[in-house]
């Protein structure tokens, strides 16, 4: 079985020579590669869980079926199949907020962000106030799904 490869983080998120953590603050760019990125932490017993699931999928797009019927597209049996389905790489992404980075984006203090999040959630997450050593938050909101057409490493 072929391993799905995604080169994340991408160079566009990086500085000239290294990853720039201020470029992305609302997802974990290593969420699909926890063993590679956090292997030492996992061996030390830290509970690190994936926040991005990646798989191959086939999706139906009626617009492509219509384009094939009208002769505008021809199936290549690699990405576009004769039945009109498209082979994609599907990424299910859960939000992971880096609180210092989110606060900086809003131009507010991290303490103010934490206090407001605590209050606006009805006190549901007291750790926002009591655990300032934890600088990531997994909000209880729906994630998103991305579909990548073609080789995901590009």
């Amino acid at each position: 079985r072929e391993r799905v490869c995604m080169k994340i983080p991408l160079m566009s998120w990086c500085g000239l020579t290294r990853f720039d953590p201020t470029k992305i603050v609302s997802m974990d760019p290593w969420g699909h590669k926890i063993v590679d990125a956090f292997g030492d932490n996992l061996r030390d017993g830290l509970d690190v869980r994936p926040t991005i699931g990646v798989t191959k999928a086939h999706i139906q797009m009626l617009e492509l079926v219509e384009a094939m019927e009208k002769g505008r597209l021809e199936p290549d049996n690699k990405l576009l199949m004769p039945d009109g389905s498209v082979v994609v790489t599907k990424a299910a992404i859960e939000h992971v907020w880096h609180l210092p980075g989110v606060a900086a984006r809003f131009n507010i203090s991290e303490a103010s962000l934490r206090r407001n999040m605590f209050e606006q959630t009805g006190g549901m997450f007291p750790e926002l106030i009591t655990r300032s050593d934890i600088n990531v938050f997994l909000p209880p909101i729906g994630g998103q799904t991305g579909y990548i057409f073609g080789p995901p490493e590009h």
Side-chain angles (χ1 to χ4, degrees):
R1 185 169 137 171
E2 180 185 343
R3 182 176 173 187
V4 177
C5 174
M6 286 182 58
K7 291 185 179 180
I8 295 179
L10 300 174
M11 286 306 295
S12 62
W13 303 348
C14 302
L16 294 175
T17 59
R18 64 179 184 82
F19 179 74
D20 182 354
T22 65
K23 295 278 186 183
I24 186 162
V25 297
S26 60
M27 68 173 269
D28 175 9
W30 296 276
H32 68 299
K33 299 176 76 170
I34 63 163
V35 174
D36 297 338
F38 302 105
D40 292 340
N41 302 99
L42 290 165
R43 282 187 288 283
D44 290 343
L46 188 66
D47 184 15
V48 180
R49 298 179 187 196
T51 57
I52 301 174
V54 181
T55 189
K56 292 282 188 185
H58 287 238
I59 60 173
Q60 291 286 333
M61 296 181 65
L62 296 178
E63 296 88 349
L64 297 180
V65 173
E66 179 182 333
M68 287 173 53
E69 289 171 352
K70 292 183 177 181
R72 294 191 312 255
L73 285 177
E74 291 184 21
D76 65 358
N77 292 315
K78 291 180 183 175
L79 292 178
L80 182 58
M81 298 303 183
D83 67 355
S85 64
V86 182
V87 178
V88 298
T89 301
K90 179 180 178 182
I93 304 165
E94 294 296 325
H95 298 278
V96 179
W97 293 350
H98 180 250
L99 296 176
V102 172
R105 291 277 176 98
F106 287 125
N107 200 27
I108 60 174
S109 71
E110 183 182 345
S112 178
L113 174 70
R114 288 173 176 271
R115 171 62 62 187
N116 278 288
M117 288 173 57
F118 174 74
E119 291 173 0
Q120 293 300 315
T121 59
M124 190 183 310
F125 304 103
E127 296 82 7
L128 287 167
I129 304 299
T130 62
R131 297 287 311 270
S132 61
D133 60 314
I134 299 175
N135 61 10
V136 294
F137 178 68
L138 281 68
I141 58 177
Q144 57 209 7
T145 301
Y147 297 95
I148 302 162
F149 295 77
E153 60 272 13
H154 295 288

